[in-house]
Amino acid sequence: MGLFTRRNNESATATAVATVDPALAALSGDYTIDPAHSSIGFTVRHAMVTNVRGGFGSYEGALSLDGIDPSRSSASIDVDIASVDTGIADRDGHLRSGDFFDAEKFPKMTFRSTAAEQLGGDRYRITGDLTIKDVTRPLSIDLEFQGSATDVYGNERAGFEGSTEILRSDWGLTWNAALEAGGVMVSDKVKLTFDISAIKNAPQAA
């Protein structure tokens, strides 16, 4: 079930009327990401032999969804760098230090979307600007729409799950240590993962 589906007709032109699922069109609106039921994580190769996984415990974000034309959808998120958590206090402290995120000087990591597109079915790609420390670079995230539901408290929710890969050095995160047997302590490639549950905002009073 896609957020936007065009009529499959070989004679259709670029101006053809879109076929819209009313249930999906009803999803249109502004949403607030619910951190209690979402996660933003990362995975990075450590010492060339295993993966270290972590995430961020504090962040806020918003989605604006257009169920008729997803290209008009947008997203923004602000992550508190000091909330990084890999399960090891010493490692988390190192990540917050100047060797990596320098959380005291640069307390936020931000993402602001600039474009959105449907890849097919429930798959979408959102592109935007990711800022870490004082570096801003473009980033594309592939997402899958997980559906919508009304929870027991009457909140209308929409869910998305996705991932992307970055080179941390592109954002100035270059600290490393050489291993005796060859290679480095921390991989440059980092996988970012997103599991998002967003609550639809109540309509604004006229």
Side-chain angles (χ1 to χ4, degrees), residues 106-121:
F106 304 100
K108 299 285 186 180
M109 173 173 62
T110 65
F111 177 80
R112 299 290 183 269
S113 69
T114 56
E117 61 178 314
Q118 184 178 20
L119 301 178

Side-chain angles (χ1 to χ4, degrees), residues 2-6 18 20 24 28 64-75 113 115-121 123-126 160:
L3 286 176
F4 182 74
T5 307
R6 287 195 176 275
V20 179
L24 294 175
S28 296
S64 180
L65 302 183
D66 190 322
I68 298 174
D69 182 359
S71 70
R72 299 177 61 183
S73 299
S74 62
S113 69
E117 61 178 314
Q118 184 178 20
L119 301 178
R123 297 181 301 109
Y124 300 86
R125 176 171 295 151
I126 188 161
F160 295 87

Side-chain angles (χ1 to χ4, degrees), residues 77-147:
I77 192 160
D78 296 80
V79 177
D80 294 321
I81 290 297
S83 71
V84 65
D85 182 8
T86 64
I88 303 294
D90 286 347
R91 182 166 58 207
D92 296 342
H94 192 197
L95 289 172
R96 296 184 190 105
S97 76
D99 283 346
F100 285 95
F101 289 113
D102 199 355
E104 185 173 346
K105 186 176 181 181
F106 304 100
K108 299 285 186 180
M109 173 173 62
T110 65
F111 177 80
R112 299 290 183 269
S113 69
T114 56
E117 61 178 314
Q118 184 178 20
L119 301 178
D122 290 334
R123 297 181 301 109
Y124 300 86
R125 176 171 295 151
I126 188 161
T127 300
D129 294 324
L130 176 67
T131 300
I132 303 175
K133 300 174 79 170
D134 57 351
V135 179
T136 300
R137 294 180 61 89
L139 177 71
S140 292
I141 304 169
D142 287 351
L143 298 164
E144 185 172 352
F145 177 55
Q146 298 296 301

